[in-house]
Amino acid sequence: MDPNFFIIGAAKCGTSALSAYLAEHPEIYFSVPKETNFWCTDYAGLRDLAKIQSLYQYRSLFAAARPEHRAVGEGSVNYFRSEVAVGKIRQFNPAARFILMLRNPVDMVYSMHQERLFQFYDDVKDFETAWNLQDDRLEGRHIPARCVQPELLQYGRMGRYADRLEEFLRGYFEVMEQNPQVYFPSLSYLDRASAAGPVPVPPPAHTGTHG
């Protein structure tokens, strides 16, 4: 079975906990690993790290899903920051559902910096210094040798939800307009009811009062 829902981010916003909770449900199948990064082809370093390069390899992650699994999903937080991931997912499955978790961006970027230190992607322990290095790092300077994707050191960009959120919602609403019956199944009933003609309205019930 192919995945039909995706936790797309944001990073350091509780997605690992949510995916663990969902994986415990008997009607939900969740990929292992949680983060495949398959659809963010603009983050080549992360895709190489996951070693999931082909659609066959990707689909094999969900091969154990069974008919009783009503929801089949994965949770790659970099899909939210990627310029192409959500669009590719929609092409793969136009009926895909997305889960997006956000938190105070100030708290998030501090937490992200600690994560990058733990991963050895960043080697600057002082957050203010790391913050001030963003422009240099954007030009390829002061990138630690073990950092697989320099964009992961752009803490300010990671914390600016609004630009990506606006683009995501705009594209999502466009897809819903193109496929209304998929996202609003009740419209099928309304269409059929409209084609059948007006529904007769019953007379008001007799109350037993006399005027």
Side-chain angles (χ1 to χ4, degrees):
M1 297 177 63
D2 286 335
N4 53 28
F5 81 93
F6 299 80
I7 301 176
I8 63 171
K12 309 308 296 177
C13 292
T15 61
S16 293
L18 178 62
S19 64
Y21 298 149
L22 292 175
E24 293 178 357
H25 195 287
E27 295 182 352
I28 297 177
Y29 185 88
F30 212 91
S31 69
V32 177
K34 163 187 173 265
E35 300 196 33
T36 72
N37 292 307
F38 180 72
W39 300 107
C40 50
T41 54
D42 49 345
Y43 281 58
L46 293 176
R47 277 174 54 92
D48 292 343
L49 193 65
K51 295 181 170 58
I52 303 169
Q53 300 294 329
S54 70
L55 186 59
Y56 175 82
Q57 290 176 308
Y58 179 72
R59 282 179 157 153
S60 69
L61 298 176
F62 310 96
R66 295 293 177 262
E68 60 267 24
H69 293 123
R70 300 175 59 188
V72 178
E74 61 132 313
S76 301
V77 298
N78 292 293
Y79 289 165
F80 181 55
R81 296 306 325 177
S82 169
E83 301 284 344
V84 301
V86 171
K88 288 180 176 293
I89 291 171
R90 287 178 176 140
Q91 291 177 358
F92 172 71
N93 183 356
R97 290 339 194 231
F98 298 94
I99 298 174
L100 176 62
M101 303 175 68
L102 303 175
R103 67 187 282 200
N104 185 320
V106 176
D107 295 335
M108 187 276 287
V109 294
Y110 274 108
S111 180
M112 180 173 288
H113 176 244
Q114 293 300 309
E115 177 86 354
R116 298 295 181 252
L117 291 172
F118 177 78
Q119 296 168 320
F120 297 102
Y121 292 173
D122 202 341
D123 56 4
V124 179
K125 294 183 177 180
D126 178 66
F127 177 73
E128 183 177 358
T129 303
W131 180 273
N132 291 333
L133 281 173
Q134 289 182 98
D135 288 344
D136 283 347
R137 287 173 159 176
L138 196 61
E139 296 178 1
R141 297 189 295 272
H142 306 294
I143 305 294
R146 297 182 64 175
C147 183
V148 298
Q149 193 76 35
E151 289 87 345
L152 299 179
L153 303 177
Q154 295 300 310
Y155 300 108
R157 181 174 179 266
M158 293 289 181
R160 286 194 292 271
Y161 300 140
D163 55 342
R164 299 300 304 146
L165 186 59
E166 181 180 3
E167 182 175 340
F168 170 73
L169 291 176
R170 185 187 305 115
Y172 196 57
F173 290 138
E174 288 174 355
V175 171
M176 286 193 292
E177 288 177 357
Q178 295 167 5
N179 304 276
Q181 309 302 344
V182 173
Y183 292 92
F184 304 102
S186 59
L187 290 179
S188 297
Y189 168 78
L190 294 177
D191 289 343
R192 291 195 301 270
S194 176
V199 177
V201 179
H206 181 64
T207 61
T209 60
H210 302 279

